[in-house]
Amino acid sequence: MYAFVITTSKGLDDLLAQEIAQLCPHLSLKNKPGQILFDGELNDAYRICLWSRLANRVLVRLAEGDCQDAEQLYKVASSVNWSAQFNVTDSFVVDFVGTSKAINNSQFGALKVKDAVVDQFQELFERRPNVSKDSPAIRIHCRLWRDNIGVYLDLSGASLHQRHYRLKAGSAPVKEHIAAAMLYRSGWAANRQAPLADPMCGAGTIVIEAALMAANQAPGLLRNQWGFTYWKKHQADVWQGLFDEAERAVTSPARKFYANDIDPAMVQLAKQNAGAAGVAELIQFSTGDASTWQCPGEPGYLVSNPPYGERLGELTELLPLFNDWGLQLKRHYANWHLSILTSNRDLLRQLKLVAGKEYQIINGKLECQLVNFVLDEKNCEIRESSAAAGQDFANRLSKNMQKLKGWIKQLDSDCYRVYDADLPEYNMAIDRYGDWVVVQEYAAPKNIPESKTRKRLMDAMLHLPKILGVSHDKIVLKVRQQQKGKEQYEKLSSDKEYIQVWEHGARFWVNLKDYLDTGLFLDHRSTRQLVRQWSKDKDVLNLFAYTGSVSVHAALGGAKSVTTVDMSRTYLDWAKRNFSLNKLNNVYQFRFQQEDCLAWLHTHRQQYDLIFIDPPSFSNSKRMQNTWDVQRDHLNLLADAKQCLRKGGKIVFSNNLRQFKLDEAGLAEMGLQAENISAKTLPEDFKRNPKIHHCWVITHAN
């Protein structure tokens, strides 16, 4: 008798236990998260290796013991008679799973076990077996749980989910054992005579797994090498008998399977994979949009792993697809069963179907749900209320566009705001950047359920293309929350896609996807024009300069010199690119400083005629000497700025803290006076929410 551990993805252990119970009904099984344990014979393990569609690895235990430090780990690994397991001429590798206080690094754990193995061979044969990570003959598997270590031989070799028919996977593939689990959970596996279709088949994994099931073809028949091939205790005759039996069990089902994808290249790949699996003749392939595709034949099961919209911007493209697909399902798939794997329930809600049972499944590193639907009479009803979802938002946005129409024609820019939380239940800002639209979802109040706010957001997104005249793939969605410290500079994506926009004779690079902010603060549009008007023949200093848009306008306004200061190298380089875009390349006239603005200004004594200061509301960045709070610290900042201000000069001071109060009495004590120009510099498209825009011109009192 041997002790075995069969592993699988978390969430599939119950399903795996049912499968093993059918394959080996005499076994007594014990469930743990992601694994099944039992004592049995080698023929039980061989049968699972050959037939399991859900397992990842079949492990036979060689040793087990306490592991409170590295020495105990080495001792347990040394207790195995390794020369009785494999030859010194065979290569091996050690996989190590788990950590503890003593063994807090899995690579270190694997190294200690490797040392125990090679030391034993060295002592016996005066030579060491080679370690091979790519194609080892023997795979040793160690599992550390708290202070207990188990040392196993991996009988499966490569993970069992690798059936070796996938010549190439798609961009977001579902693993073979996950596909099999979907077929079990959908109900089709218990009703294999029913039609099975995947409208978004990708590399074809789901339909290929279904065809293998229907043909009663053991998934292990496609593998050439196993983890037990070079194991000295391998019972070749027992294995060969089970293998021959599995070959004789293969049948030729009459039922056709259906696979469709919008990408012809993916359909071709799916065909190649099906050919490698030996089931190509069982599958009818087609190329088309799932939202218009109709599966031939009587009702059956639709099982699919559609895109999740995980990457920034993908969601906006997928929303209309799922909305249209939902209508197609209602109209043409009555009495079908639908099972969808997703990590994004927002997309599934666009189908406007009432879900049935759902299951948690880990697909790769993503926590997903397999959601089942029955397309019965109630689910196939097309409700008028569903079609009108988000109509109140659509009406308000259309009204805004009509109101701004004349102003936009006169605006010397292609960047402007069209909506800013006008309706509290649709809590977002919508900005236009040339041919693109950026939607910034504000964090919802705590008393409103997230599911409700997300549904309204998705409903709103569906109306944007028609009202604003843009395509779905040019709508970018972001969630906007208060940013602190280094988070102000953290990336959301890495597309590095920049587009050009224009404003009053200046051109700027904006990045709509990679960062929370785009590179151009639209509420400062009018402020930048004032700075431009006041810059003629002036020495200008721009602090907390971000991407240098104010500096560009000052330079275009004829400034004698422009000094641009920011702590971020990324944004300072961006500012330089904006200068180059506007053919402002005089290195003596235009200077760029990467500095902590507060510390730099405190000791700086050069004089300027015009100083622009737009600090963050708060920052605790490690790159700054101290924390910054604009309400608490603005007076000290302005005192330092005064030291650099020439007589007759101006400080333009701005910030976006809603409750900000300028300390005018403190300014007066310093000999400064302030004129509030917030209303004067508030653009038309920001007048609905004036609290986010504060601006003053500060000058010497005398």
Side-chain angles (χ1 to χ4, degrees):
M1 293 282 285
Y2 293 89
F4 295 100
V5 174
I6 316 299
T7 69
T8 188
S9 297
K10 288 184 179 179
L12 300 187
D13 35 284
D14 286 343
L15 205 56
L16 175 60
Q18 295 173 27
E19 182 187 58
I20 294 175
Q22 289 182 339
L23 293 172
C24 308
H26 59 284
L27 295 177
S28 177
L29 307 177
K30 181 180 179 181
N31 287 41
K32 283 189 175 181
Q35 53 187 304
I36 304 297
L37 289 71
F38 64 86
D39 293 337
E41 302 294 343
L42 277 183
N43 67 317
D44 298 320
Y46 289 157
R47 189 177 296 276
I48 294 169
C49 282
L50 192 57
W51 282 98
S52 178
R53 303 182 191 277
L54 301 169
N56 282 336
R57 298 193 179 277
V58 176
L59 309 174
V60 57
R61 192 172 72 204
L62 303 179
E64 187 177 33
D66 291 336
C67 180
Q68 296 184 14
D69 54 39
E71 293 304 317
Q72 282 191 321
L73 173 59
Y74 183 91
K75 184 177 179 180
V76 173
S78 297
S79 69
V80 179
N81 184 354
W82 291 109
S83 62
Q85 309 300 326
F86 63 97
N87 290 316
V88 70
T89 54
D90 295 327
S91 62
F92 77 102
V93 72
V94 178
D95 297 325
F96 199 97
V97 177
T99 58
S100 66
K101 289 184 179 179
I103 312 296
N104 57 13
N105 183 290
S106 59
Q107 290 183 339
F108 172 74
L111 182 63
K112 292 300 291 184
V113 174
K114 185 268 294 182
D115 288 344
V117 175
V118 298
D119 288 351
Q120 191 179 110
F121 274 104
Q122 181 70 35
E123 186 176 345
L124 288 172
F125 303 104
E126 296 186 350
R127 62 176 297 187
R128 300 153 61 100
N130 291 326
V131 174
S132 173
K133 293 182 179 180
D134 296 329
S135 55
I138 295 293
R139 186 174 288 273
I140 299 168
H141 189 95
C142 301
R143 301 181 76 83
L144 177 63
W145 172 246
R146 294 179 179 171
D147 291 330
N148 182 270
I149 184 69
V151 180
Y152 303 86
L153 186 82
D154 187 348
L155 300 182
S156 43
S159 176
L160 291 178
H161 84 268
Q162 299 177 25
R163 316 281 204 239
H164 298 285
Y165 61 72
R166 285 211 308 205
L167 306 177
K168 187 179 178 183
S171 58
V174 60
K175 291 183 177 180
E176 294 89 322
H177 73 299
I178 298 294
M182 293 170 63
L183 294 167
Y184 283 121
R185 294 299 197 195
S186 71
W188 175 84
N191 186 20
R192 300 183 186 185
Q193 296 306 308
L196 188 286
D198 184 350
M200 304 182 198
C201 70
T205 306
I206 293 173
V207 287
I208 293 173
E209 287 294 314
L212 291 173
M213 284 186 187
N216 198 36
Q217 180 174 322
L221 288 177
L222 298 172
R223 296 169 68 99
N224 295 320
Q225 186 171 331
W226 296 86
F228 52 72
T229 303
Y230 295 94
W231 185 37
K232 285 188 175 182
K233 297 183 181 182
H234 171 43
Q235 298 176 7
D237 54 339
V238 175
W239 168 255
Q240 192 60 49
L242 290 171
F243 191 90
D244 293 342
E245 178 187 312
E247 284 192 320
R248 293 192 296 271
V250 178
T251 62
S252 298
R255 172 67 61 192
K256 276 279 187 183
F257 298 85
Y258 305 93
N260 175 79
D261 200 275
I262 196 171
D263 185 350
M266 292 307 300
V267 174
Q268 185 60 35
L269 176 59
K271 288 180 179 179
Q272 294 173 3
N273 289 341
V279 294
E281 72 282 356
L282 301 179
I283 303 172
Q284 181 175 317
F285 292 94
S286 61
T287 303
D289 189 334
S291 63
T292 58
W293 181 68
Q294 293 185 46
C295 184
E298 69 272 22
Y301 291 79
L302 296 173
V303 183
S304 194
N305 174 45
Y308 303 159
E310 287 294 321
R311 293 182 68 250
L312 186 67
E314 286 181 341
L315 185 62
T316 58
E317 298 180 51
L318 294 174
L319 282 172
L321 168 63
F322 275 73
N323 184 71
D324 294 345
W325 189 28
L327 291 173
Q328 179 75 354
L329 292 169
K330 290 172 183 287
R331 289 168 178 158
H332 300 289
Y333 288 90
N335 301 317
W336 281 73
H337 294 262
L338 173 66
S339 293
I340 299 177
L341 185 68
T342 187
S343 67
N344 190 337
R345 293 302 295 269
D346 291 329
L347 284 175
L348 290 199
R349 292 187 185 99
Q350 300 310 309
L351 299 176
K352 297 179 174 63
L353 297 171
V354 178
K357 201 160 186 180
E358 62 181 72
Y359 304 90
Q360 300 300 313
I361 294 179
I362 303 296
N363 182 22
K365 295 182 179 180
L366 290 176
E367 294 184 5
C368 298
Q369 299 86 41
L370 180 71
V371 186
N372 288 345
F373 303 86
V374 177
L375 298 173
D376 53 17
E377 183 176 345
K378 183 179 179 181
N379 248 337
C380 287
E381 179 184 353
I382 300 178
R383 302 175 182 85
E384 290 298 323
S385 59
S386 296
Q391 192 59 51
D392 48 349
F393 164 80
N395 293 339
R396 174 55 66 95
L397 182 58
S398 297
K399 183 179 178 181
N400 285 3
M401 292 304 298
Q402 189 63 34
K403 180 181 177 182
L404 292 171
K405 188 176 181 180
W407 175 80
I408 291 172
K409 283 185 178 180
Q410 297 177 5
L411 180 67
D412 190 10
S413 177
D414 60 350
C415 306
Y416 47 87
R417 178 156 291 185
V418 297
Y419 178 92
D420 194 356
D422 298 44
L423 302 176
E425 57 268 34
Y426 295 94
N427 196 24
M428 68 192 82
I430 303 174
D431 297 322
R432 188 75 184 248
Y433 289 86
D435 295 332
W436 289 76
V437 170
V438 175
V439 180
Q440 301 178 13
E441 180 196 19
Y442 296 123
K446 293 181 179 180
N447 62 334
I448 300 179
E450 183 182 357
S451 59
K452 194 171 185 178
T453 61
R454 295 296 290 176
K455 179 183 183 303
R456 286 173 173 167
L457 175 64
M458 298 304 109
D459 291 340
M461 296 292 289
L462 281 170
H463 290 281
L464 290 182
K466 183 177 180 181
I467 297 173
L468 299 181
V470 297
S471 58
H472 288 282
D473 60 350
K474 288 195 173 182
I475 300 176
V476 179
L477 174 62
K478 301 178 182 180
V479 177
R480 188 175 188 86
Q481 296 173 319
Q482 183 180 5
Q483 301 295 300
K484 295 184 178 182
K486 68 176 183 178
E487 293 177 3
Q488 298 171 78
Y489 303 101
E490 284 185 352
K491 282 193 168 188
L492 300 179
S493 181
S494 298
D495 287 4
K496 297 181 180 178
E497 183 178 346
Y498 290 81
I499 65 169
Q500 284 187 37
V501 295
W502 50 273
E503 175 189 277
H504 295 280
R507 291 191 171 275
F508 299 104
W509 291 110
V510 293
N511 185 320
L512 308 183
K513 299 179 181 180
D514 291 355
Y515 301 89
L516 188 62
D517 291 311
T518 64
L520 189 66
F521 294 133
L522 301 188
D523 66 304
H524 281 165
R525 186 189 311 111
S526 300
T527 312
R528 286 189 286 269
Q529 296 319 297
L530 282 180
V531 171
R532 181 168 179 162
Q533 293 170 21
W534 294 336
S535 294
K536 180 70 173 174
D537 297 325
K538 299 293 193 298
D539 291 311
V540 180
L541 171 63
N542 182 9
L543 293 169
F544 306 96
Y546 189 38
T547 60
S549 56
V550 169
S551 298
V552 168
H553 275 292
L556 291 174
K560 185 191 302 181
S561 72
V562 180
T563 301
T564 303
V565 187
D566 197 274
M567 187 167 55
S568 167
R569 170 57 58 189
T570 298
Y571 289 141
L572 209 60
D573 288 343
W574 195 334
K576 292 176 182 178
R577 292 182 62 209
N578 281 334
F579 266 69
S580 295
L581 183 62
N582 289 277
K583 296 181 171 54
L584 301 168
N585 299 310
N586 189 325
V587 294
Y588 300 104
Q589 185 181 6
F590 309 125
R591 296 184 292 274
F592 299 87
Q593 297 282 144
Q594 184 189 2
E595 300 284 353
D596 172 354
C597 293
L598 298 174
W600 181 83
L601 185 64
H602 187 64
T603 58
H604 191 63
R605 289 298 176 264
Q606 188 170 331
Q607 298 290 289
Y608 300 90
D609 305 292
L610 181 60
I611 302 175
F612 181 80
I613 309 176
D614 180 39
S617 298
F618 177 84
S619 180
N620 61 356
S621 172
K622 293 180 180 178
R623 289 176 288 183
M624 296 177 62
Q625 293 183 1
N626 301 293
T627 62
W628 160 262
D629 183 300
V630 69
Q631 185 63 69
R632 181 191 69 198
D633 301 322
H634 73 277
L635 212 56
N636 290 335
L637 170 63
L638 292 172
D640 288 339
K642 179 191 174 186
Q643 301 303 313
C644 297
L645 185 67
R646 286 196 181 108
K647 246 181 189 180
K650 298 176 181 178
I651 298 172
V652 179
F653 177 66
S654 174
N655 72 79
N656 296 101
L657 182 65
R658 289 174 181 268
Q659 290 81 32
F660 180 79
K661 300 293 183 184
L662 183 69
D663 188 348
E664 296 191 35
L667 286 178
E669 289 181 12
M670 290 191 296
L672 296 174
Q673 61 185 12
E675 176 190 357
N676 192 331
I677 60 169
S678 300
K680 180 180 178 181
T681 55
L682 185 68
E684 180 69 26
D685 46 339
F686 282 82
K687 285 186 175 178
R688 190 187 175 279
N689 194 5
K691 292 182 180 180
I692 66 168
H693 179 85
H694 307 294
C695 194
W696 291 265
V697 173
I698 299 172
T699 58
H700 290 99
N702 298 321

